[in-house]
Amino acid sequence: MKRVLIKPLEPLMFRSQGEFEPLITGSHTAAQSLIIPRPSTIAGMLGYILFNKSSGTGDWLSDLTNLLDTIYGTFIETNGEYLFPLRMGNHLALVDQQHLINLPILLEKEYEQREKGIYELFYDKNKLFQIINHQDRIGISIDKSTRTVKEHYLYSARYLAFKKEVNYVIFIDNDAISDKINGKIVNFGGENRIAKLEVDDYKVDTSIEEEYYLTLSPILIPDEALDDLLDNISDYVTMGKVDKISLGFDIANTKRKEMLTAILEGSIVKRSIIDFIKKEINNNLLDRFTKYEKIGYNTLMNLCKLAFRKILS
């Protein structure tokens, strides 16, 4: 297994599903970066390095899966310490594994004890604000013919900045590509931000069976299964959030990629979610959802150690 460290060299912008243009959102538009980049962002960055025009199929997902083996991630490393996303609704924390270890016991406790323990995780053990900062920028649009400011074209953007050295971490099942990506300086995320890649060997288990899992990347839900999931959400999701996400922008075909419902990264899910998704994905969807999984979606992590699994594969 190869560990890939993605080292930001400047403030970053990981846009979510919101459109960033006045015709959609009004005269003033705003964009705010995600903390954890989505798998399609990372897979797209790696695919750009490896892509050969002669091997393109015209389908962004097939092109990526032809180039990449299974990706697991994403979380953060700083000063040799791993920090993992933990989500409660709209609140996101970054916590170390020492505190994740206690979650399975905590989740089985009575309501008041459970809520007190979760509160401590989000407000006392949360390291998000120790490492993450923001950089706000405001822009206008210029009419090139008159060199004047266009009316109603004002935008603001909140970039992701860092108070200390931070690396994003993924693991990939492919020894062959490490020499091609190691040491590369690449565009990462939106607005032509750049990062450096470093690759090393790392032994990690990818065949775990647990009662609870942490989602390191969004767990994609087929539309046909959404009602059943939401009607019985407590059977599958212990804490976290279900939301619509965009898989990004298809640059080659100049159009937006699909939007899907997902259990967001940082959620705590039960083992039953695995059987649920396997049951709900029919043969017509299986190939595409397996490809989503290969580029990084559906990564589950053991709460007690650095070990991963996927859902369909």
Side-chain angles (χ1 to χ4, degrees):
M1 184 77 74
K2 295 295 183 180
R3 181 182 70 163
V4 182
L5 299 180
I6 306 169
K7 298 174 169 289
L9 300 180
E10 59 182 337
L12 301 174
M13 171 59 74
F14 305 124
R15 285 166 51 192
S16 58
Q17 68 266 34
E19 296 287 344
F20 195 13
E21 57 183 62
L23 292 177
I24 301 297
T25 55
S27 58
H28 171 237
T29 64
Q32 180 166 331
S33 178
L34 299 168
I35 303 295
I36 304 292
R38 295 275 155 77
S40 44
T41 298
I42 292 174
M45 172 193 68
L46 297 175
Y48 179 80
I49 301 171
L50 303 170
F51 185 65
N52 182 339
K53 289 183 179 180
S54 63
S55 62
T57 66
D59 174 59
W60 70 272
L61 187 56
S62 296
D63 287 342
L64 286 178
T65 53
N66 288 340
L67 294 167
L68 302 168
D69 282 332
T70 303
I71 296 172
Y72 301 86
T74 307
F75 53 93
I76 283 175
E77 184 270 337
T78 180
N79 294 330
E81 179 183 41
Y82 288 150
L83 298 177
F84 303 95
L86 186 64
R87 184 180 296 276
M88 182 171 58
N90 290 323
H91 300 287
L92 182 71
L94 291 175
V95 298
D96 58 35
Q97 191 139 42
Q98 175 188 346
H99 295 103
L100 284 179
I101 288 171
N102 299 324
L103 263 177
I105 298 172
L106 183 63
L107 293 171
E108 299 295 337
K109 290 187 175 182
E110 295 295 327
Y111 176 80
E112 288 187 2
Q113 289 180 297
R114 185 173 70 245
E115 292 302 297
K116 180 182 177 182
I118 291 173
Y119 180 91
E120 288 179 354
L121 275 177
F122 275 83
Y123 294 97
D124 296 336
K125 311 300 183 184
N126 184 4
K127 298 187 178 182
L128 175 68
F129 301 107
Q130 296 178 22
I131 64 171
I132 298 296
N133 205 347
H134 291 97
Q135 185 182 95
D136 292 319
R137 301 185 180 187
I138 297 177
I140 56 175
S141 180
I142 300 292
D143 187 323
K144 293 182 180 180
S145 62
T146 62
R147 301 302 300 169
T148 59
V149 177
K150 287 184 179 179
E151 189 176 359
H152 303 312
Y153 277 75
L154 172 69
Y155 67 87
S156 61
R158 172 162 283 193
Y159 285 68
L160 184 64
F162 306 97
K163 297 177 181 178
K164 57 179 73 173
E165 184 176 329
V166 164
N167 302 313
Y168 289 101
V169 184
I170 63 167
F171 291 86
I172 187 165
D173 261 337
N174 191 328
D175 292 341
I177 71 167
S178 59
D179 290 340
K180 298 178 181 179
I181 66 174
N182 191 27
K184 291 285 188 181
I185 305 294
V186 292
N187 287 334
F188 185 36
E191 314 303 323
N192 295 315
R193 307 284 93 188
I194 59 172
K196 182 179 181 180
L197 304 182
E198 291 187 3
V199 183
D200 58 17
D201 292 308
Y202 207 98
K203 187 175 182 180
V204 63
D205 187 4
T206 58
S207 57
I208 55 170
E209 290 289 342
E210 300 293 338
E211 186 61 35
Y212 295 102
Y213 297 96
L214 174 69
T215 62
L216 287 183
S217 63
I219 307 303
L220 301 179
I221 308 297
D223 290 340
E224 297 83 352
L226 184 56
D227 287 344
D228 193 5
L229 174 74
L230 296 179
D231 288 343
N232 303 282
I233 192 70
S234 61
D235 292 341
Y236 308 113
V237 182
T238 300
M239 56 186 286
K241 185 178 181 180
V242 178
D243 202 1
K244 281 283 187 184
I245 65 169
S246 167
L247 302 194
F249 190 80
D250 184 351
I251 296 175
N253 296 302
T254 61
K255 65 178 183 179
R256 288 201 169 274
K257 298 172 185 173
E258 49 267 49
M259 291 187 69
L260 294 169
T261 303
I263 303 169
L264 296 188
E265 64 279 357
S267 299
I268 303 295
V269 297
K270 298 179 181 180
R271 182 166 52 189
S272 54
I273 192 66
I274 297 171
D275 290 334
F276 172 78
I277 292 177
K278 284 182 176 180
K279 180 188 74 173
E280 295 293 341
I281 293 181
N282 59 45
N283 290 335
N284 293 331
L285 297 173
L286 183 60
D287 179 65
R288 194 153 189 88
F289 272 74
T290 302
K291 288 178 179 177
Y292 291 142
E293 191 166 280
K294 188 176 180 182
I295 67 168
Y297 290 97
N298 293 4
T299 301
L300 303 177
M301 191 188 88
N302 188 325
L303 291 169
C304 300
K305 64 178 182 178
L306 195 66
F308 313 118
R309 70 160 294 160
K310 295 290 187 175
I311 291 177
L312 298 174
S313 56

